Structure formats: structure tokens, C-alpha cells
Amino acid sequence: MKYAWMLVALVGCGGGGSGADPDAATDVDGHVADAGEDSGGGIQPDAFDPSGDYDSDGVLNGVDDCPTVADPAQFDLDGDGIGWMCDPIETKAFPIPAGFQDVALAIGGATMGGAIKCTGTCSHVAFAVGPAGIQIAQDPADAWVSDNVQRGYVPGENHVLWSLVNGTIGDQAATTGTFSPRVQDAKFTFGRITLDWFVHGALRVLTVDPEATGTSYRLIAPNSDGTVTTVVTSDAALLRPQIVGDTSPELVFGVSGTSEKSVQKFAPGMTASAPVVFGSVVLDHLDDVAYVTRSSFGGVYGFCARKVGKRYFVETNNGPLHIYEAPDGSCSVDIQETRDHRFVMFGDAFYVLDGVGHAFTAGNQLTLKSEGVPAIVAGQAIGAGGVPLSPVFAVDATGEHPVSTSGGVGNGVSQHGDTTHFVTIESGMPKLVRYRNGLTSTSDLPAIGPDETWTVFTTNEGAAIATTTVRAVVMASQSMSPTVVDFDNVDLLISSGQTFFVASHNAATSQPALYRYTEVAGAPQYTALTPEVNQNDSFKMWIRPVPTNIPSTQMDQQPETPWFVYQKENDYCRRVRPVVMGSAVMLVGNYDCDGFFAGVTPDGKSVVLDNGIPHIEVGDGTTFTTVAKGEGLQLLYATPGSNLVLGWYGFGSHGPFVCSASHPDRCWASPGSLNDTFDELRWVPLDPEHPDALHIVLTTHPSDQMIFTSMKTVGPGNLPQPL
């Protein structure tokens, strides 16, 4: 039912539309499209024709509240003459007496849903706003909303799926105002932002758990008309649904119920999930199914399935679906994997290299020591007289290769290109081991004190630099003999195909500097890139790559940027990018490295967020520009776990604002003051094909009101850059 509601003063501006690309919203004279032009990419004459119908929605331009965006319903929430489909900012406020408890938001395309939950004298409210209009439900007049709305999801324009406390999931339609139950005895599963959902292109799946009176877990696929398709049901929680594939996405998950154990998949166009098939083997009616994690870098690898004396590993963490048949064994297995995903070790008996499975002959109690291929694996064995040994094996495309040591691997393995180095201990003495193309060479290292530990690095040229806190040696790329050099405390990094390291000279008062390593006619060369000084103020320096700090739990999903930092202990820190010019290299940037790389814009520029002195920087590879300053800066990512930044929100000198990442100079003012804080903030692209046009919904809660603000980043914006 509808009832009287209160409007709040708005900040509004014209232009734009659902999915409009701001760059395309310019006409032949170069200005942003006005009310008489097509902001969706076409070009219309500047002269406004009131008798025409630019958007072909059946409403003439002279009376159309959105002349360039089709909206036959002519819905205008705030009554300012600019329709819902093209008004950048509209606000809806509800009076709420004492008893406010919580608020729920749902948003998709140009549709939003909102729900107010409260106790005592306050009535629950749920509304759906879309291109067709607004429908509001309030208890006790609308009995369904009396059951308290928990979470919502927008499956299509003018529809909101609400999950109720009583275990009903139903659709509130903005077109008719009706509430249609779709699922009984169930609730949306909480997780990620609001509920567990899996969306990629046409693939859309929600996870549903049983309510207290229910008996089954399930996945449902929401349809754009507010109906749902049941993907699968189970009497046990479904195991780790995960999207695999890109152009043809599928959702893969495990079923571990009492009557059915299987690995299932669901794709767009399917009416229910189906078991995964490997050759002629259908992965259903299994003896056991479990998801398996990776001990190397964290995260889930995929699934282990056992059936009739055979074991299958289903990989879901790296692109298209891969399945491997392994010798039978337990599904409680340790999986170790290289960062490049080329090598995966399943316990002590089986490994996969470049997509091909192999039985292990190396031994037992195997531990992966390297991050790439060739995979360096250390095992456990018993030698003559019962002496425990730690044999080392290198696994590459030609098979397993014993490395000439039984002393194990010391302080890590360093690899680059075709060369691998590590330190081992033979008869109590340290040795430097080089493995290259199936061949092993071993060289003695100088004896060290009881408090020293060798750390080894591999350069871009294939040389080794081994260091402790008081000494260092270099073994050139084509040499087999380490040479003592006048350095200590070395830390090394390869960036843009160049080798950089920081180190001190062997002097008590030497301060570290940044160097570049090269080889000329096979001889090592060391070029200082920062001053080499000696004074009575010793300190250490570190060098490290700068990754994109994205919201992900898996380390291997942290892509490196072209930048690196070198840092003096915990204070002085510089961010630089190497540029190679012939045989020379120049460091550009030299920025203070406060903040972190937080993602990339749709056009590929790096985004740095610093909450110390709150600001956002955008870098184009050679320089960084501060594009926003303010309090409470929050980046708006395309999806959970993505590093694609669509925009940012914050509080600046002009009040609350939101800006486009594609066009940082285009910002929109949000109603409110510098003292306002929001209860909840959500955003989605208005059109998946144009991610720089966002629909953003936020809620604020002043004394006796709940205010829902809908913002659409279309047109030129109404606020200067908040600097």
C-alpha cells in the first residue's frame, strides 16, 4: 500500500541517464549533453524540439521529465521536474520514533529497496523504487512486513527480493506493490557485503540457509521478474561455491548431504545444477567430498572427491575448471602450490605440473620450498647409521631431479628466470647451491658466527647475492665461485627487468644506499642510485615491491604494480618507478610512500589511498596526482574482492561527496553536512557495460528520521574536485 511521506530538500542537476558514458555525453560543440541532447552516446541538435521524442518512450520532449532517457512511467520521486531515471540525486525520508533498530538496503541498476526495522512503537517499513515508481509497505497494514525484513537483493528493475525473519523470501514489486513469497523456511546467507551472492555476467546465484523450521540449504538463481529458480537443495551446508571461468562462467560447489555427496556446477541457462563430469566419471554418489585449502598462500584450492577407489581433485581457484585423477587416499590432504599455479603438490604421493598429474617418487614428508617452477621440494629420509637426512629435489618439465645435497634448504629459495639459488648445510658448513636447467653446482660459503644467517637472492642476470648482517658474497651469473664484496645487510628486488638492492658497506658507520646491479662482460657492476655516506648514525634499509592492496584473503591475488619502495627503518620511505633508457635506468616519481596501492581505475591507472592525511592519488605510470582530500574516504569497488575502483566517497570542505574514478574531476554533492555519518552505503553500476556510471545509495539517521539518498553519477557533476 502507499501512504503519505515526507520529502527532503535535494541537490539536483540535469543530464545523463542509466548507463550513460560521460565521455560519450558530448555533442559536436564539445559540451556535456543538455536536456535536448542524447547523453547515451548519440548526437542530437542543440535546438530543443518540444514536439520530438528523443528517447522514444512515447512521451514528447516538451513534457518528458527525462527527454534523453526512456521512462514511460514518468516517475519523479522528489517532484523537482527531473525524472527518477535521470535525476542525479533524490532523497526519501521516513519519520521514525524511538525504537529504530536497523536498516537494510538493496540496489541494482536503477532500482533500490530500503527497509527500516524497529521495536516498540515504531512500525517496520519496506519500499521498492524503480523506473515504474515507488511502492511502500508498512505494518500493520501490510502483514508481510510485520515479520521484519532482514536483507534484500535486486534481481531486476522494479523488483526487490526481501528475506524475512520468519523464513520467507519474497518479491516486492515496484510496479504493483504486491509481495509474492518465493521461498519458504529459508533466509539469505549473511556474508561479504550483505549476503552471499555470486554474480558474473549472466550468472547470478544467491545462497540460502534454512530457518529454524526448515530442513534444507539451497542455492537460488534470481530472475529479473522477481521469481527465483532453485539451483540445488541439501540437508547439509553447501561447500564453498566459487565462480570459475570468465567468458563462460560457472558456479562450482560441493554437496555433502546424507543422501548425496557430489561436486556440482551451475551455469546461465540451466534450470538446476548438475554433477561435474571428468571424462566418463560423473562426480556424484561420492564416498567423500571436501573442499581443500592451500597451505602455501592461503585460500581454497577446490575440492577433493573420492569414488570407488579413486580420488579426484577439482581446481576452482585459477580460471577455467581443471580436474585431476590421483591415487586413492584421504581427502584430508595438505596442498602446497607455487605462486604461478604451475606446480601443485597433493601430500607426498601426487603432484600436478603444467596441468599434467604425476605420481611422486621423491620420498615422504615433502615440503615445497619455492614460489615458482622449478619447484624445490625438501623431504625426509634416514641415512646410514640412522642419521636423518633432508634430501632436496627440483621438479620441472623434464621430471624430478635430485639436487646434490642432503642438508635441506636453509633460509628460503630465490628464483628468477631459469636460475634457482638456496643455501644448505653440509657437515656443519654453509654451501650455496645453484640449480639451472637440470644442472646443480655447489660452492662453499664463508663460515659465519652463531648469530648470523645466510639469505640468498637471485638477480635478473642469474647471479647470486648471499648476505648476512655483517658480510656478503656475489656469485656472478656464469661463475661458480662466490666472491666476498664490500656490502652487508643486502635486500634485493627485480623491477622492470632491472636488479636493485639496498645495502651497507662493511663499516660500522656506513649508512645503506640504493644500488643497481648489472654485469659487463660477466663482471658484476654496482651503481649507487642514492648517496653513499658514512656517519655515526647507523640504520637499516628495506626494498620491496608495491602490490595492489585489494580486499582479498588470498596473497596470490595481490598483483604487483610497476612501483617499488625503499625504506629507512620505519620512517623515511620513497616510492619510485624505474624507467629504462638504453643501458641506463632512471627512477621517476620519488614520492613519499604513505598510503597503499588500493586498486586501479577502469582506464588502468593506479589508485593510492592514504588515511593518515586522508587523500587519494591516481597515477599514470610516471606521476601521481592527488584527486581527493577529506575525511572518511572510502573506495567504491566494482565487486567484493575486485581491485577495480569505480569511484570514491568522503566528507570534504563542501560536505559529503562522491566522485567518478574514470573522471576524477566529476563529483557530486551528497545531501548532508560534514557532521553526518551514514549507516550504510551501497553502490552498483547503472549499466554493467558502463561501470563509470554508478548508482549509489546511502542512509543517514538524524534524530527522528531515516533518510535514504539515491545518487547517480551521470552528467558533468555538480561539485568541484574536493581538494
Side-chain angles (χ1 to χ4, degrees):
M1 64 172 286
K2 290 188 177 181
Y3 70 103
W5 41 269
M6 177 178 64
L7 288 175
V8 175
L10 310 181
V11 180
C13 67
S18 178
D21 181 346
D23 272 342
T26 57
D27 63 5
V28 291
D29 61 14
H31 68 264
V32 176
D34 56 36
E37 299 175 75
D38 179 7
S39 61
I43 298 176
Q44 299 289 345
D46 284 345
F48 180 70
D49 179 8
S51 63
D53 184 7
Y54 291 142
D55 55 13
S56 302
D57 61 0
V59 182
L60 299 183
N61 297 332
V63 293
D64 197 336
D65 60 11
C66 285
T68 63
V69 180
D71 62 335
Q74 293 291 286
F75 173 59
D76 180 7
L77 178 65
D78 57 10
D80 65 352
I82 305 174
W84 167 260
M85 292 298 291
C86 61
D87 196 341
I89 299 179
E90 298 203 74
T91 298
K92 174 81 177 77
F94 291 90
I96 50 172
F100 168 71
Q101 190 175 44
D102 196 8
V103 61
L105 277 182
I107 176 175
T111 296
M112 76 167 180
I116 300 173
K117 297 173 284 184
C118 44
T119 59
T121 59
C122 179
S123 296
H124 303 311
V125 175
F127 65 87
V129 181
I134 182 171
Q135 294 293 341
I136 302 172
Q138 184 180 32
D139 66 344
D142 300 278
W144 69 269
V145 82
S146 300
D147 290 315
N148 199 338
V149 173
Q150 291 297 292
R151 288 291 185 239
Y153 179 81
V154 173
E157 299 291 20
N158 299 309
H159 292 276
V160 180
L161 285 175
W162 291 116
S163 178
L164 310 183
V165 166
N166 70 349
T168 299
I169 296 174
D171 166 45
Q172 183 184 19
T175 50
T176 64
T178 57
F179 178 81
S180 304
R182 305 298 187 187
V183 180
Q184 298 291 352
D185 298 323
K187 61 183 179 182
F188 284 150
T189 306
F190 283 66
R192 301 212 209 180
I193 294 181
T194 55
L195 57 132
D196 278 345
W197 55 274
F198 303 90
V199 178
H200 186 95
L203 177 67
R204 296 187 299 170
V205 177
L206 308 176
T207 63
V208 176
D209 285 350
E211 247 308 328
T213 58
T215 58
S216 65
Y217 298 83
R218 68 195 83 180
L219 298 177
I220 63 172
N223 302 314
S224 59
D225 62 356
T227 61
V228 302
T229 298
T230 298
V231 174
V232 69
T233 61
S234 173
D235 60 6
L238 298 161
L239 304 178
R240 297 290 181 136
Q242 186 159 343
I243 295 175
V244 301
D246 187 18
T247 57
S248 300
E250 299 175 321
L251 187 73
V252 178
F253 55 93
V255 178
S256 60
T258 55
S259 61
E260 171 64 8
K261 298 183 187 299
S262 58
V263 180
Q264 302 267 331
K265 69 176 181 179
F266 179 79
M270 297 175 64
T271 57
S273 64
V276 170
V277 178
F278 175 61
S280 61
V281 179
V282 182
L283 297 185
D284 63 354
H285 303 297
L286 300 173
D287 300 319
D288 188 21
V289 61
Y291 69 85
V292 287
T293 58
R294 302 176 301 162
S295 61
S296 304
F297 308 113
V300 176
Y301 172 83
F303 300 95
C304 171
R306 295 181 60 248
K307 184 174 184 177
V308 194
K310 292 187 178 180
R311 185 171 47 158
Y312 303 90
F313 289 100
V314 182
E315 181 184 13
T316 63
N317 76 320
N318 185 30
L321 192 67
H322 297 288
I323 305 175
Y324 308 104
E325 181 181 331
D328 193 18
S330 171
C331 277
S332 298
V333 62
D334 184 33
I335 290 188
Q336 301 176 68
E337 184 176 13
T338 56
R339 192 177 293 274
D340 57 13
H341 301 293
R342 289 182 57 194
F343 175 87
V344 189
M345 189 168 70
F346 302 85
D348 298 336
F350 181 73
Y351 69 91
V352 171
L353 177 65
D354 294 333
V356 180
H358 304 269
F360 241 133
T361 61
N364 55 28
Q365 299 184 48
L366 303 179
T367 303
L368 177 64
K369 295 292 188 178
S370 63
E371 294 188 354
V373 175
I376 304 300
V377 179
Q380 296 292 322
I382 301 298
V387 176
L389 304 176
S390 297
V392 179
F393 300 84
V395 184
D396 60 20
T398 61
E400 300 171 40
H401 304 277
V403 178
S404 57
T405 179
S406 59
V409 177
N411 192 27
V413 174
S414 177
Q415 297 177 306
H416 189 75
D418 62 359
T419 304
T420 300
H421 293 104
F422 63 89
V423 175
T424 188
I425 302 295
E426 294 285 359
S427 302
M429 296 300 295
K431 293 183 179 292
L432 178 61
V433 179
R434 170 178 291 167
Y435 177 85
R436 181 183 290 160
N437 300 326
L439 300 176
T440 302
S441 59
T442 304
S443 302
D444 293 334
L445 286 171
I448 57 177
D451 296 329
E452 291 181 79
T453 300
W454 284 109
T455 300
V456 65
F457 300 97
T458 301
T459 73
N460 183 63
E461 298 75 13
I465 300 180
T467 182
T468 76
T469 55
V470 296
R471 72 192 80 221
V473 300
V474 171
M475 187 164 70
S477 61
Q478 303 305 313
S479 171
M480 299 299 176
S481 300
T483 301
V484 175
V485 291
D486 182 26
F487 288 116
D488 59 38
N489 280 305
V490 177
D491 197 1
L492 182 143
L493 171 73
I494 297 172
S495 181
S496 301
Q498 304 293 311
T499 302
F500 300 92
F501 68 95
V502 291
S504 302
H505 286 299
N506 286 320
T509 59
S510 174
Q511 291 187 349
L514 174 66
Y515 298 86
R516 179 190 179 207
Y517 177 94
T518 55
E519 291 185 6
V520 177
Q525 308 289 315
Y526 315 101
T527 305
L529 301 176
T530 60
E532 301 174 284
V533 296
N534 284 291
Q535 62 185 50
N536 247 343
D537 182 21
S538 63
F539 60 86
K540 295 180 180 179
M541 188 179 287
W542 292 267
I543 188 172
R544 64 181 185 272
V546 179
T548 298
N549 188 9
I550 64 175
S552 169
T553 58
Q554 296 185 198
M555 290 178 59
D556 64 320
Q557 292 184 3
Q558 304 284 325
E560 292 181 4
T561 68
W563 298 78
F564 70 87
V565 300
Y566 59 96
Q567 182 175 7
K568 168 187 173 181
E569 297 200 274
N570 292 318
D571 81 277
Y572 177 86
C573 182
R574 308 305 297 170
R575 185 196 317 150
V576 296
R577 179 178 182 270
V579 175
V580 180
M581 305 177 67
S583 60
V585 63
M586 177 177 66
L587 296 180
V588 300
N590 200 32
Y591 294 94
D592 189 293
C593 56
D594 288 340
F596 58 89
F597 279 72
V600 294
T601 64
D603 56 354
K605 295 180 180 178
S606 298
V607 178
V608 173
L609 174 63
D610 182 4
N611 284 318
I613 304 176
H615 71 279
I616 295 172
E617 302 172 20
V618 171
D620 60 6
T622 58
T623 187
F624 276 84
T625 303
T626 298
V627 296
K629 294 180 180 178
E631 298 297 326
L633 291 174
Q634 179 173 343
L635 297 178
L636 311 180
Y637 290 95
T639 60
S642 167
N643 70 337
L644 179 61
V645 178
L646 302 182
W648 41 82
Y649 185 91
F651 298 86
S653 58
H654 297 280
F657 65 86
V658 62
C659 299
S660 165
S662 296
H663 307 277
D665 58 324
R666 297 179 182 175
C667 302
W668 292 261
S670 171
S673 70
L674 292 176
N675 297 321
D676 285 345
T677 59
F678 51 81
D679 292 271
E680 193 167 357
L681 172 69
R682 293 271 219 78
W683 62 92
V684 294
L686 276 166
D687 177 352
E689 301 301 319
H690 300 87
D692 52 348
L694 295 178
H695 185 189
I696 301 167
V697 176
L698 58 98
T699 62
T700 53
H701 179 210
S703 58
D704 59 351
Q705 294 180 340
M706 174 55 63
I707 301 175
F708 296 82
T709 300
S710 166
M711 304 179 64
K712 302 182 183 75
T713 63
V714 293
N718 60 9
L719 184 71
Q721 282 181 288
L723 300 178

